[in-house]
Amino acid sequence: MANRPLGAQISHMLKARGVSTIFGIPGVHNQEMYRGIEEAGLTHVLARHEQGAGFMADGYARATGRPGVAYVITGPGLCNIMTPMGQAYSDSVPLLVLSSCLLDTAATRGQLHQMRDQEGAAAAVCDWSETAVTPDAAYHLIDRALGEMTIGRKRPKHIQVPIPLLEGAAPESWPAKAALGPRPIQPEPDWITYAAALLSEAKRPLFVFGGGAVALGYPDLGQSRPELLERVLRKTGAATFTTYAGRGIVPDDSPLHFGATLARVGSADVIASADLVIAVGTTLSEVDLWRDDLGHSGRLLRVDIDDEVLSENIARQQPVRSDAEAFFAALDAALPDRAATGWTPQEVADKRTAWRTEIDMERPGILPVADALRAALPDNTIIYSDMTQFAYAAKEVWPMARPNLWHHPYGFGTLGYALPAAIGGKIGKPDQPVVAVAGDYGFQYTLQELMVAVELELSLPIIVWDNGKLGEIEDSMVRAQIAPNAVIQKNPDFVKLAEAYGAASAAPQTLAQMADDVRSALARQGPTLIYLDATVLTSS
């Protein structure tokens, strides 16, 4: 392995550090990165567009918890994957993009794939973007990226390597160090004493759980974390909300759980009635709340590992630097049992019923279809959804057996996410059911990746919800008193399109037929496009 081209050495280094799959597209500028792929024992997934490669790597990372890695070329290849990089940044996904770059762009102009500032362009949509100017620098940057994805907030990184460096001889990278496990960030003992005292005094305590707290919903080899959470909630008598990304942390049938309904207007009044709110692992962003603020009137404790979150200027906020598990373990030890609080199961049930009715009125006919789809799927199904009204309605009410089962482009809000991300998820979890849910418009952003699912014979139901228009945009225009414009498009025959790609297809006319088609698709080798005509199914 001594003194081989650096491009080959990088693949061997990644393999030695636990990477098994690369998503990407080869080109003349990055072909040296492909020299060592097979020799290193890596699996390469050939996307049909770099945007698809990025979303596949994102879906793989969300399903497995391991970094998704993509190889792309200089210039347009990197530009095409920047949308997935932005999505991964907003949703805290560990995505490592390795690209080639030109050695010089200042003195030499007019080169193939030339950009004025490729490193800077990528830096705008990821955690950091760096250029490796020596083989050792490339190795250090890769170790730094993978290490930070393990011990810190998981966000995308970009490393670019000049083409002559990839082609040049380089020594073997140093041996992989012992794998770094997560380093729990322990809360200061005084903060636990303070939080326990506040909880003991509170008449209506409330927890809000975000994506940074999903580990609380998973059992581990030692103490069961769901049992830890259940004990703390029992001891405090607290009610709960989750963000969309935090769904499944609290069991959906918990009597004091309001669900993933922070976006409901009435949730602000509920939160204002709490005299203590503890927000755990959440940025409380616009896409969590869809209003300017949480709505709290009492004290707010923010438990997080991100200094940016903890330093936000929010009224009555007090920051607690800790990860969710360490905070709850310490809190559990400090809390005595207490009598019931001012929350009642009937109050929570009434609100949830009212909010479901609101959702049904806002997007008529979708919830019965979502309920039928949910009943047809195993509890452990991983779902990847696109920016579509079907997902907007369903993700507020869909019961989750555990966290990390429904993945959506929450923050950046990219169309075309669902299909390639589901492909990546299925590659990462081949023995687990995976489903893609896309709208008729968004599906066409990345429909060419259907060929990847066919090529790999992935058992993958692909739900295409067709309302024949950009329904959410039309509704927004109407609310803004704008005459709807450019929201109606002509669609292809999706069933024939699927067949042209070599996929199976179905176009159910009733909810019962849809359920049967979904079950058949899960059992079939190869993908199945299930076309749902919104007009037909919402009236069936």
Side-chain angles (χ1 to χ4, degrees), residues 243-260:
T243 66
Y244 298 133
R247 287 179 301 156
I249 295 173
V250 182
D252 194 69
D253 58 357
S254 293
L256 296 182
H257 183 44
F258 285 99

Side-chain angles (χ1 to χ4, degrees), residues 46 48 419 423 446-457 500-503 527:
L46 176 63
R48 275 20 181 202
L419 174 58
I423 290 171
T446 51
L447 68 85
Q448 68 273 10
E449 306 305 341
L450 180 58
M451 198 71 242
V452 180
V454 171
E455 189 172 58
L456 299 180
E457 298 184 321
Y501 274 92

Side-chain angles (χ1 to χ4, degrees), residues 176-386:
K177 298 177 182 178
L180 290 174
R183 298 177 181 175
I185 298 176
Q186 300 290 340
E188 294 291 337
D190 288 350
W191 276 111
I192 293 299
T193 302
Y194 179 61
L198 290 178
L199 283 163
S200 297
E201 297 167 1
K203 299 295 189 291
R204 285 170 69 88
L206 176 71
F207 284 98
V208 178
F209 297 103
V214 295
L216 289 169
Y218 288 101
D220 60 14
L221 297 179
Q223 184 181 41
S224 172
R225 285 173 282 192
E227 290 179 7
L228 168 64
L229 176 61
E230 192 276 331
R231 279 200 308 275
V232 170
L233 294 180
R234 187 187 69 245
K235 288 180 178 182
T236 60
T240 55
F241 281 91
T242 69
T243 66
Y244 298 133
R247 287 179 301 156
I249 295 173
V250 182
D252 194 69
D253 58 357
S254 293
L256 296 182
H257 183 44
F258 285 99
T261 51
L262 289 171
R264 295 292 102 202
V265 174
S267 73
D269 293 333
V270 173
I271 293 166
S273 75
D275 49 3
L276 172 65
V277 179
I278 301 180
V280 186
T282 171
T283 59
L284 299 177
S285 65
E286 178 188 49
V287 296
D288 293 321
L289 306 175
W290 293 111
R291 57 178 178 268
D292 292 336
D293 55 62
L294 184 62
H296 63 289
S297 57
R299 199 181 309 273
L300 171 65
L301 295 188
R302 294 290 295 277
V303 181
D304 213 287
I305 64 172
D306 191 327
D307 292 338
E308 181 181 350
V309 170
L310 296 174
S311 63
E312 284 185 307
N313 184 22
I314 295 179
R316 307 199 69 182
Q317 172 174 301
Q318 294 177 292
V320 181
R321 193 167 191 274
S322 174
D323 63 43
E325 299 162 84
F327 178 79
F328 270 80
L331 198 58
D332 180 40
L335 283 170
D337 285 322
R338 61 170 291 173
T341 60
W343 302 105
T344 67
Q346 190 60 53
E347 172 188 7
V348 175
D350 289 346
K351 285 293 183 184
R352 293 194 66 168
T353 299
W355 289 337
R356 181 184 170 93
T357 301
E358 280 184 16
I359 297 165
D360 200 23
M361 292 176 64
E362 289 170 0
R363 299 186 172 96
I366 290 179
L367 293 190
V369 182
D371 290 342
L373 178 60
R374 173 67 182 84
L377 295 173
D379 284 344
N380 67 334
T381 301
I382 304 174
I383 296 171
Y384 292 87
S385 59
D386 221 304

Side-chain angles (χ1 to χ4, degrees), residues 424-450:
K426 187 63 178 178
I427 291 169
K429 292 287 186 179
D431 298 325
Q432 195 164 341
V434 175
V435 173
V437 177
D440 54 307
Y441 200 83
F443 175 70
Q444 294 180 76
Y445 270 52
T446 51
L447 68 85
Q448 68 273 10
E449 306 305 341
L450 180 58

